[in-house]
Amino acid sequence: MKHKILGIDEIEELDSFEEPLRIRIHLKYPDYKDLLNLKPNERIKEIRQRKRDKFKEFTSSIKKDFNRVGSIKDPSGLEISCSKSEVLKYNNDRRIENISILVSEDSTNLDFESIELYYAVVARFAIQIENRTKGLQDYEDRILLVKAKSGKEAEKKLKLGFKNYEKPYLNPLGELVRWKFEEFIDWYETSYDSLEDMLNDEKEGIEIFSRLKSRRLNNARAWIIEN
C-alpha cells in the first residue's frame, strides 16, 4: 500500500529527518452519499458536523497539543509535533487522508533550498513574414516543460533558448519567415520533480497544465440529479 506521507517517495526517507517533526495531518472528508436526499444547505450543515465529530475524536485520541487547520465550525486537520515512530503510526490511521512534513523543529534556523519541480509554461510566438503589415497574422502558443524552482525561473530558463527557435528561414514562396517570441501567457506548477514520477501516473493521465475558465451555462452543460 502506498504511504500517506507527502513529499517523499519511500517511507524509509523519514530517516533523513531530524526529530521532533512538525507535521500537518489532513483528515478524510466525511462520506456524503447518504445525504443526497437533503437540500444542499442541509448537506453542508451535516458534513460540517461530521467533520467536527471526527476532529474531536481524533484529537482526543492523540492527547497532544495541536493547532487546528481550518475553522472551529469546519476543521480539516491539525498541526502537531511528533516523533518518526508516531508519523508511522499516523500513516496507518484510517481517519487520515495524508500527512505533510513541515519542518524539523530543530531545523528552523537552517536555510532550506527550494525544491525544483517541473513547470509547464505557455509562450506565445508570432509568425512574422518579411514586409507583411496587413491581414491576419498566425501565432503559436507553445506549452513547454522545464524544471525550475519557480515560475519566474522557468520563464528565465526558457527564454535563453528562444533565439534558436526565432532563426529566420525561407518559406516555399522564397519569403523570410521567423517565429518571434512575444510574451509568456501563463505557467503551471506540476506536482512532479522527476520524469519517472510522471511516467508512474501515465495510466491516469499526466497533468502538465490546467487553467480554470468560466462559460455560460445551458441545459446541455448542466448536471441534473434526480432525487
Side-chain angles (χ1 to χ4, degrees):
M1 183 183 71
K2 184 173 173 59
H3 64 76
K4 301 176 181 178
I5 306 168
L6 304 177
I8 63 174
D9 295 322
E10 302 295 336
I11 200 79
E12 290 78 13
E13 292 180 43
L14 270 179
D15 294 337
S16 64
F17 291 87
E18 297 181 1
E19 292 183 314
L21 297 172
R22 188 72 180 172
I23 66 171
R24 179 175 295 161
I25 293 173
H26 305 268
L27 297 174
K28 284 186 176 179
Y29 194 80
D31 188 19
Y32 61 85
K33 293 177 183 177
D34 61 324
L35 304 178
L36 296 181
N37 60 324
L38 301 177
K39 296 179 179 179
N41 62 330
E42 294 173 337
R43 296 175 190 168
I44 289 297
K45 184 177 179 181
E46 179 59 30
I47 282 292
R48 287 179 175 173
Q49 183 60 55
R50 292 182 183 185
K51 290 174 76 173
R52 290 194 294 270
D53 292 343
K54 181 177 287 189
F55 180 81
K56 183 177 180 181
E57 175 195 348
F58 184 80
T59 53
S60 298
S61 68
I62 63 171
K63 303 185 184 303
K64 275 180 172 285
D65 293 333
F66 62 87
N67 290 330
R68 180 188 296 105
V69 176
S71 65
I72 295 176
K73 290 184 178 180
D74 191 18
S76 60
L78 61 150
E79 290 183 6
I80 58 171
S81 297
C82 65
S83 64
K84 296 174 191 175
S85 61
E86 287 174 312
V87 174
L88 293 174
K89 182 183 72 174
Y90 299 141
N91 180 62
N92 295 322
D93 195 312
R94 293 184 177 181
R95 297 169 292 184
I96 293 175
E97 182 67 33
N98 54 56
I99 301 166
S100 300
I101 300 176
L102 303 180
V103 71
S104 168
E105 290 199 332
D106 292 338
S107 305
T108 52
N109 294 324
L110 296 178
D111 183 19
F112 286 92
E113 187 177 356
S114 299
I115 298 174
E116 281 194 330
L117 295 171
Y118 276 99
Y119 284 79
V121 181
V122 184
R124 178 163 292 172
F125 292 79
I127 303 173
Q128 298 177 329
I129 301 175
E130 63 172 317
N131 301 325
R132 293 257 187 110
T133 60
K134 295 180 180 180
L136 295 177
Q137 182 185 56
D138 292 332
Y139 65 89
E140 177 192 38
D141 285 347
R142 300 175 70 199
I143 300 179
L144 303 161
L145 202 60
V146 63
K147 200 170 186 181
K149 295 177 182 177
S150 68
K152 289 296 182 184
E153 184 183 278
E155 292 177 353
K156 186 176 180 180
K157 281 186 172 183
L158 288 172
K159 203 168 183 180
L160 294 174
F162 287 168
K163 290 298 180 185
N164 189 55
Y165 195 72
E166 292 176 335
K167 284 183 179 178
Y169 62 93
L170 293 177
N171 68 11
L173 299 177
E175 299 171 307
L176 274 176
V177 180
R178 69 175 180 179
W179 298 56
K180 177 66 176 175
F181 169 69
E182 282 194 340
E183 60 179 323
F184 289 110
I185 304 299
D186 203 353
W187 55 261
Y188 176 75
E189 179 187 289
T190 76
S191 58
Y192 304 107
D193 62 3
S194 73
L195 293 176
E196 184 180 1
D197 286 344
M198 285 190 188
L199 295 176
N200 287 337
D201 283 351
E202 189 174 5
K203 290 181 180 179
E204 300 177 9
I206 302 170
E207 183 177 81
I208 63 166
F209 197 82
S210 173
R211 180 188 290 160
L212 293 177
K213 295 184 177 181
S214 297
R215 64 184 185 184
R216 190 167 297 281
L217 191 60
N218 57 34
N219 289 339
R221 294 170 177 169
W223 181 23
I224 307 300
I225 297 178
E226 300 291 344
N227 291 326

